[in-house]
Amino acid sequence: MNICIKQIGLICLVHVLSYGVVEAQARFNAKIGADSWSFKDEAEMTGQSKHPGQMVGFDILVEDSEFMFVAGLQYHRISLINEDQSFSFDFSEHHHVHYFMIPVTAGYTFLKNDVVHLSILGGGEVVFFYDVDDNMLGFDNKDFYGVSTNLTAILHSELFSFLTAEVRYHYGLLPLLKNRDDSKLSGWTLGAGVRF
């Protein structure tokens, strides 16, 4: 019987990780928020790039002592128009690009008491674009790449063990618009939620 050291190491790693997940506590966090996005090339050309948007989604939080692993699914929509305001929570307007985002992050809880928990996390996001509203700028589905990626950093707080609030920064790694080579989308999300 020929057993490779790599196979033994892989089996041990899977066992340790699965044991950690079983011992950890998993929670569900439903959330909603407002976004402020900026296209890198637009900001360089015009001096201002403000594209407000909205977000709704959920996270699965896996916690083990101070360590936290968070994965989720979020729906975002951002205005295609370069607006004066940074954040907006108006769902009535229809000149947006729509996409889903899957963030996968890990971090550390640095403050934990009976009232508040504060954590800092970082990781990556995969972005799937799926629709563009009718707009006066002439954009349609063919103008956007279907998949993109971001890096993200998060300050996450929990109040009274069931309310959550977070500030998230997204840093775009790939261009979004096919005819604009430096159309990397970066921005901020302010979110609030309820943890179960």
Side-chain angles (χ1 to χ4, degrees):
M1 180 187 234
N2 187 5
I3 298 178
C4 178
I5 296 295
K6 289 181 182 178
Q7 291 172 333
I8 293 172
L10 183 61
I11 290 169
C12 291
L13 178 63
V14 169
H15 175 70
V16 168
L17 291 176
S18 64
Y19 177 78
V21 169
V22 169
E23 293 296 312
Q25 186 177 21
R27 302 281 177 124
F28 180 83
N29 181 37
K31 61 186 182 179
I32 193 164
D35 296 326
S36 178
W37 295 96
S38 173
F39 285 99
K40 182 178 179 182
D41 60 341
E42 184 180 63
E44 290 172 351
M45 289 185 295
T46 66
Q48 172 184 299
S49 182
K50 294 182 181 177
H51 296 267
Q54 299 80 36
M55 175 274 295
V56 63
F58 68 88
D59 290 327
I60 303 296
L61 298 92
V62 180
E63 298 170 281
D64 184 14
S65 187
E66 287 83 25
F67 176 76
M68 178 183 272
F69 173 79
V70 181
L73 177 65
Q74 302 167 5
Y75 160 77
H76 289 258
R77 64 180 217 143
I78 63 168
S79 172
L80 288 169
I81 299 172
N82 188 356
E83 302 186 24
D84 291 331
Q85 58 190 0
S86 293
F87 293 93
S88 171
F89 208 69
D90 186 359
F91 276 90
S92 65
E93 298 176 352
H94 300 286
H95 48 76
H96 294 76
V97 60
H98 304 264
Y99 59 93
F100 287 100
M101 183 181 290
I102 299 174
V104 178
T105 58
Y108 181 77
T109 302
F110 61 89
L111 175 65
K112 185 184 270 191
N113 59 42
D114 292 339
V115 178
V116 65
H117 294 185
L118 287 177
S119 305
I120 188 161
L121 301 105
E125 301 169 328
V126 181
V127 178
F128 301 93
F129 287 87
Y130 79 95
D131 195 19
V132 178
D133 292 340
D134 291 333
N135 59 84
M136 61 185 171
L137 302 174
F139 287 118
D140 61 23
N141 290 335
K142 295 178 290 199
D143 294 313
F144 287 84
Y145 289 109
V147 179
S148 184
T149 56
N150 300 332
L151 294 177
T152 189
I154 308 160
L155 178 62
H156 176 85
S157 65
E158 297 177 12
L159 305 171
F160 307 109
S161 297
F162 72 96
L163 297 175
T164 64
E166 69 180 28
V167 176
R168 180 184 298 248
Y169 179 71
H170 314 264
Y171 179 78
L173 297 176
L174 299 172
L176 299 182
L177 293 164
K178 292 179 180 176
N179 64 347
R180 287 165 48 182
D181 293 337
D182 212 11
S183 58
K184 296 176 182 176
L185 190 66
S186 297
W188 295 89
T189 299
L190 305 177
V194 178
R195 184 177 127 157
F196 301 96

